[in-house]
Amino acid sequence: MTQTAVKPVAAVVPKVKLLIDGVFVDSQSNDWRDVINPANQEVLAQVPFATTAELDAAVAAAAGAFKTWRKTPIGTRARIFLKYQQLIRENMKELAAILTAEQGKTLPDAEGDVFRGLEVVEHAANIGTLQMGELAHNVASGVDTYTLQQPLGVCAGITPFNFPAMIPLWMFPMAIVTGNTFVLKPSEQDPMVIMRLAELALEAGIPAGVLNVVHGGPDIVNAICDHPDIRAVSFVGSTRVGTHVYHRASQAGKRVQCMMGAKNHAVVLPDANREQTLNNLAGAAFGAAGQRCMAISVAVMVGEAGNWIPDLVEKAKALRVDAGHEAGTDVGPLISPAALGRVEGLIEQGKNEGATLELDGRRPTVSDAYASGNFVGPTIFSGVKPGMKIYDEEIFGPVLVVLSAESLDEAIDIVNANPNGNGVAIFTQSGAAAHRFQEEIDVGQVGINVPIPVPVPLFSFTGSRGSKLGDLGPYGKQVIQFYTQTKTVTSRWFDDAASSGVNTTIKLG
Ligand code: NAD
């Protein structure tokens, strides 16, 4: 396959709009970037890097809308999200097609991306039982104390390229349904599917100003962190950028939650179901071309399980690499030529550092029409050790690095010594081993014979150590806390017949 820099350009390249105060508007920016199909370098659209004035307008619209939206009854808010989930279902195929064109993942996986966000929208429609306060009756004579979970105001979200539908849907539905208004800054690399989702959100009844979308890169992210009228920031992306956002927005007095990078291990015990385990490993390591924050990127083979590597290589070799919209594709392209160059460079470095390259996915065979795409096929290294760059860095490509361990305890030590704590899985048929693992492993999401244990929205996504900053996760119960301020009310109603006289102590009478 040859790599070329030639980008086919459509006759008229559409311009991605901003959504400000209920209107899709053209940006006045002088700074525009191409949105490129990673399978063939076709320029799909141009995205603006919005100006500070445009961010100010979006925040002002959100602040204005908050005045009325915060008072909107629960039932009205819930019904908008009931309608929204229906519209997303009805438009699933179109949303997946847009997503595959700009992001590269296969069409079925693109539907999965939308679906995992849709689950959060469904959960938002249950807000009636989620945003409830507590009441203690008669905490002192005739006195009750109760809590209100009140919305914060304008909240903002900053999202990565790898789940361009799911991750924005982790954020704005729960923020808005709890009574806040929102400014979203999606990834500049694939901003198109979210604009279609924003159109559907307005069609579902989200009022003008309640949801706003601005585009851009570091400057607009920094302006969001600094903006005095934004109360909370949700970020999903790399550890480097997330750490910066956490500190900068916290410094400006905001609530911040940052879900960040990963190096997810699968620990394979020799008593595991061999066939199921290898199928799960291959799917989780190479699906979405390894560009999932919960991809399995490290396998720790314990004892005799180390002999399974040749079978794993055979399964990986059988996966088809091609454009995501081609039927039968298992592994699509990486997001950009820069990502491709980085992943290819890390593979070379792994070889140079002494790891064994069991399967080299560089320059795979793909259909002629996609010869210029950013493809790298499934790649497997064995004999990997901490300290090698392919182990220490998040590769974010279809590269699985395999380590060996003598025992479960050694495997647990390896995982817990890694700086990341996003996801982990154990494959075993021993309940006792799985139980010990779940107790001792210091990772946010734990799978037991489940390779990508992303929790459904009845729970919250979480993360340990380097993978997360901030206490509360996105979606689920935790995000109700994140997007609301708890107010306690202590109340007494005077009975005119009984007067208690003046009381100068702090005790409630
Ligand atoms: P990224 O950090 O490069 O970008 C995320 C967002 O930050 C984008 O909107 C981008 O425009 C903005 N940004 C980029 N550089 C910036 C800078 N210097 N200053 C301020 N803002 C900046 O991440 P990505 O490459 O889009 O996404 C992949 C990363 O996201 C991986 O590390 C992956 O593990 C992580 N991720 C984590 C989770 C999770 O839940 N933990 C989920 C998905 C992705």
Side-chain angles (χ1 to χ4, degrees), residues 159-162 167 185 188 221 236-238 241 260 293 394 461:
T159 56
F161 80 82
N162 65 327
I167 292 178
K185 203 303 283 175
E188 69 281 17
V221 168
V236 177
S238 64
V241 179
M260 307 185 291
C293 69
E394 182 182 33
F461 196 88

Side-chain angles (χ1 to χ4, degrees), residues 352-373:
N352 296 341
E353 285 180 333
T356 306
L357 188 50
E358 301 274 357
L359 178 63
D360 186 352
R362 287 176 293 182
R363 311 284 158 142
T365 306
V366 298
S367 304
D368 288 348
Y370 314 114
S372 63

